[in-house]
């Protein structure tokens, strides 16, 4: 029985990961430590809340007393650190909390794991700290080329700078202490349960509510989109097969301009959901400050060395995603109104 400490497991990717892992393995247990910020929502975990192999802990990864207590109470084998402030626009307005959670929180987790896993000058075998990172740490590309694991880090936003700092600290624990770590750097994710401040769910939500669709700048910035379950599979593979100390880029060669994404969403909704929604909702607005032009991942290493392959192509993934939001309008209303706090109060009293 392996025990995972998953942080940020009530967020978008974390909640998909927790459910994916509990579905796939009978012989694991997961402790989910989450602060439940605006982005964390226990409704995302409804289907596993009574699973005997799942435990929720409400708290902050920066709280060293709490984090140490979790390691004292449980024999943690793997830490999977999703917990983060994750939205670039928020980081431009409020950088401090990004530095605190993304850097200091990561160090707090690293220290607790290092102390709990120490075995003389070395570490107990079978342990691993996996840092869930992002391709944004590499900065931006022009119209050609791809990010590889050896591309120098050159982040531009406070979000990506805080994530790059965390990556370097994680790497330093390997270089200095030989602590067992891996880092995964994934491209933009999309899929069910993503908070509607990010491009795809925001556009779906606005379409369904006949609101304008804000396009930053000229709309020709490029992102490399990966269906969230393919990211979860990559993390599972890196935990089980990743070579200690290594970084793995994760992406599926799905580059799209923002305008292409927005038109795809509008056209699908127009044809299948609400014919009154059309491209006239598109509205060009002021560009994001420091807006990275293009991200594109070269995933050759994780494919060749660990055998990971993305399984959901963009054409299928975007339909699954739009359909999910259409069927789960209540979820969208809850996360945008803060109503999930009531859900939390009702189901998780006393935790
Ligand atoms: P998210 O914003 O949806 O979720 C973040 C979760 O972390 C929330 O549940 C939140 O409550 C929790 N959290 C925030 N601060 C915390 C703290 N101090 N202590 C404990 N919990 C805290 O984010 P996401 O999109 O699911 O991203 C998860 C991770 O994956 C992040 O580290 C992000 O940098 C990385 N990542 C995201 C993408 C993407 O496209 N979304 C791509 C690559 C990497
Ligand atoms: P986002 O989902 O915030 O992800 P990231 O910036 O981390 O890649 O944004 C994706 C792209 O969409 C990015 O180029 C900014 C753009 N964008 C818009 O044009 N309009 C919007 O309302 C949002 C949220 C993003």
């Amino acid at each position: 029985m392996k025990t995972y400490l998953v942080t940020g497991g009530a967020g978008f990717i974390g909640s998909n990961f927790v459910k994916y892992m509990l579905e796939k393995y009978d012989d694991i247990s997961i402790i989910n430590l989450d602060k439940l910020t605006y982005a964390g929502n226990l409704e995302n975990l409804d289907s596993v809340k009574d699973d005997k192999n799942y435990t929720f802990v409400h708290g902050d990864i920066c709280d060293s007393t709490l984090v140490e207590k979790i390691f004292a109470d449980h024999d943690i084998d793997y830490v999977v650190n999703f917990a983060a402030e994750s939205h670039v626009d928020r980081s431009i307005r409020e950088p401090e909390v990004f530095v605190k959670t993304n850097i200091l929180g990561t160090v707090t987790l690293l220290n607790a794991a290092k102390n709990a896993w120490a075995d003389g000058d070395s570490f107990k075998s079978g342990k691993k700290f996996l840092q869930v990172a992002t391709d944004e740490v590499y900065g931006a590309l022009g119209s050609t080329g791809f990010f590889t694991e050896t591309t120098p880090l050159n982040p531009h936003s406070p979000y990506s700078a805080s994530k790059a700092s965390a990556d370097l600290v994680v790497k330093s624990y390997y270089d200095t202490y030989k602590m067992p770590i891996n880092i995964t750097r994934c491209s933009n994710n999309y899929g069910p349960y993503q908070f509607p401040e990010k491009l795809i769910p925001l556009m779906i939500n606005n379409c369904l509510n006949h609101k304008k669709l804000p396009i930053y700048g000229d709309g020709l910035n490029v992102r490399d989109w990966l269906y969230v379950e393919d990211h979860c599979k990559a993390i599972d593979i890196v935990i089980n097969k990743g070579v200690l100390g290594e970084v793995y880029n994760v992406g599926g060669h799905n580059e799209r301009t923002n305008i292409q994404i927005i038109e795809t969403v509008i056209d699908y909704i127009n044809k299948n959901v609400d014919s009154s929604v059309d491209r006239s909702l598109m509205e060009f607005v002021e560009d994001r400050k420091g807006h990275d032009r293009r991200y594109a991942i070269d995933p050759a290493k994780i494919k060749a060395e660990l055998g990971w392959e993305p399984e959901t192509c963009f054409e299928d993934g975007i339909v699954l995603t739009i359909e999910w939001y259409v069927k789960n309008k209540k979820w969208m209303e809850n996360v945008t109104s803060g109503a999930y706090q009531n859900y939390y109060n009702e189901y998780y009293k006393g935790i």
Side-chain angles (χ1 to χ4, degrees):
M1 190 85 168
K2 291 285 189 185
T3 302
Y4 290 66
L5 173 59
V6 172
T7 69
F12 163 48
I13 308 172
S15 63
N16 276 286
F17 179 76
V18 167
K19 288 178 284 191
Y20 172 78
M21 294 296 281
L22 289 173
E23 173 88 1
K24 180 169 174 188
Y25 298 104
D26 290 331
D27 59 345
I28 64 165
S29 69
I30 294 183
I31 296 151
N32 172 18
L33 170 61
D34 198 296
K35 189 179 174 181
L36 298 180
T37 67
Y38 77 95
N41 178 4
L42 288 176
E43 221 179 319
N44 299 354
L45 295 156
D46 223 2
S47 61
V48 295
K49 72 179 163 54
D50 297 322
D51 191 313
K52 65 180 183 347
N53 293 333
Y54 172 73
T55 308
F56 176 69
V57 179
H58 186 197
D60 190 332
I61 57 167
C62 301
D63 179 347
S64 56
T65 308
L66 173 64
V67 172
E68 281 161 22
K69 181 167 172 7
I70 293 172
F71 276 92
D73 291 349
H74 305 270
D75 183 12
I76 304 288
D77 296 294
Y78 304 128
V79 176
V80 188
N81 183 25
F82 292 97
E85 288 293 334
S86 68
H87 192 214
V88 172
D89 292 329
R90 285 178 189 259
S91 83
I92 294 166
R93 292 196 300 272
E94 257 185 277
E96 290 86 354
V97 67
F98 284 74
V99 170
K100 186 156 187 271
T101 289
N102 299 0
I103 308 174
L104 293 179
T106 301
V107 178
T108 304
L109 291 169
L110 282 167
N111 282 338
K114 175 173 164 285
N115 291 336
W117 294 346
D119 186 9
D121 280 347
S122 182
F123 288 91
K124 294 174 190 160
S125 68
K127 308 290 187 186
K128 184 177 281 189
F129 186 106
L130 189 138
Q131 176 70 1
V132 181
T134 161
D135 60 356
E136 302 191 27
V137 299
Y138 295 121
L141 294 163
S143 54
T144 58
F146 297 95
F147 297 132
T148 70
E149 289 79 359
T150 56
T151 302
L153 304 194
N154 184 21
H156 297 126
S157 71
Y159 163 65
S160 53
S162 67
K163 291 293 291 184
S165 307
D167 278 21
L168 291 176
V169 178
V170 173
K171 177 183 175 300
S172 79
Y173 274 59
Y174 178 77
D175 294 342
T176 307
Y177 311 111
K178 287 283 169 285
M179 180 154 161
I181 64 100
N182 280 128
I183 298 171
T184 53
R185 295 191 181 130
C186 190
S187 61
N188 285 61
N189 284 213
Y190 69 100
Y193 301 99
Q194 187 168 30
F195 193 82
E197 63 185 354
K198 306 280 168 59
L199 180 70
I200 290 179
L202 183 122
M203 295 301 158
I204 297 171
N205 193 29
N206 283 14
C207 279
L208 296 176
N209 291 295
H210 302 103
K211 292 208 290 220
K212 289 283 183 194
L213 310 177
I215 305 172
Y216 299 167
D218 62 8
L220 296 178
N221 301 66
V222 171
R223 297 292 182 265
D224 184 358
W225 295 94
L226 186 72
Y227 192 62
V228 62
E229 196 171 89
D230 282 324
H231 186 188
C232 296
K233 287 175 184 164
I235 291 171
D236 179 27
I237 289 173
V238 173
I239 290 167
N240 286 295
K241 293 176 32 186
V243 176
L244 294 182
E246 291 294 308
V247 175
Y248 296 94
N249 281 355
V250 184
H253 283 303
N254 264 306
E255 289 182 50
R256 298 282 190 288
T257 64
N258 294 337
I259 287 182
Q260 284 173 323
I261 295 287
I262 294 165
E263 288 178 348
T264 303
V265 169
I266 297 170
D267 294 352
Y268 183 86
I269 291 179
N270 174 281
K271 197 160 166 234
N272 301 284
V273 184
D274 180 349
S275 59
S276 72
V277 170
D278 63 33
R279 293 183 181 191
S280 66
L281 287 176
M282 293 165 77
E283 182 175 61
F284 288 91
V285 299
E286 189 186 337
D287 206 357
R288 174 186 278 173
K289 287 185 172 60
H291 197 173
D292 285 337
R293 193 62 175 169
R294 174 172 167 259
Y295 303 143
I297 278 278
D298 177 355
K301 177 173 169 179
I302 190 170
K303 286 185 171 188
E305 295 181 13
L306 305 187
W308 174 82
E309 284 288 342
E311 288 166 30
T312 303
C313 69
F314 186 77
E315 288 67 26
D316 292 345
I318 195 70
V319 170
L320 289 172
T321 303
I322 298 171
E323 289 289 344
W324 186 86
Y325 283 99
V326 169
K327 284 201 191 85
N328 290 277
K329 284 201 184 112
K330 191 77 194 138
W331 180 91
M332 189 72 97
E333 281 165 27
N334 287 349
V335 296
T336 47
S337 70
Y340 71 82
Q341 284 302 337
N342 298 334
Y343 176 95
Y344 171 75
N345 293 337
E346 194 177 332
Y347 286 95
Y348 288 89
K349 267 182 222 140
I351 292 180

